[in-house]
Amino acid sequence: MAKTQSTAGSVTLDGVSYDWHLQSEPHQSDHEGWKGMTIAVLQQDAKREAWLEFPAPKRLLKGLPRGRLQLDDATILRCVRAALGAGWDPTSRGKPVVFMVDADGN
């Protein structure tokens, strides 16, 4: 049986549910070079998203072909903790807040 790669889902942190989805895959920008993937996280029944930008994978910087995205619940939970720790208020209004995370989601 083949293992499928998920690009959306839900996680629960401290009794609060968060929905997430892949906002953009790693891509090359004309002005900034390679950009990593971005995931969007939204607390259920809240208004403001957090966009978490990962660094570009090293394999792309070396000219190797793209690999599969590795998103699991543990990585998403680390991303949510990092965004909350950096001041994201999911209940506020406004544009999505963008945070840079490391390859592990911290």
Side-chain angles (χ1 to χ4, degrees), residues 51-74:
W51 288 1
L52 299 136
E53 294 183 2
F54 288 81
K58 291 179 182 175
R59 67 182 298 112
L60 296 177
L61 299 174
K62 294 178 181 177
L64 298 172
R66 294 179 191 220
R68 294 186 59 101
L69 301 173
Q70 300 298 320
L71 294 173
D72 57 11
D73 286 350

Side-chain angles (χ1 to χ4, degrees), residues 14-28:
D14 299 330
V16 179
S17 294
Y18 297 88
D19 295 324
W20 66 272
H21 68 274
L22 180 65
Q23 184 72 21
S24 66
E25 291 193 23
H27 63 279
Q28 191 165 20

Side-chain angles (χ1 to χ4, degrees), residues 53-98:
E53 294 183 2
F54 288 81
K58 291 179 182 175
R59 67 182 298 112
L60 296 177
L61 299 174
K62 294 178 181 177
L64 298 172
R66 294 179 191 220
R68 294 186 59 101
L69 301 173
Q70 300 298 320
L71 294 173
D72 57 11
D73 286 350
T75 303
I76 302 301
L77 286 171
R78 284 191 297 271
C79 288
V80 172
R81 281 190 192 99
L84 291 170
W88 173 46
D89 180 7
T91 59
S92 65
R93 295 177 49 182
K95 293 181 180 180
V97 183
V98 180

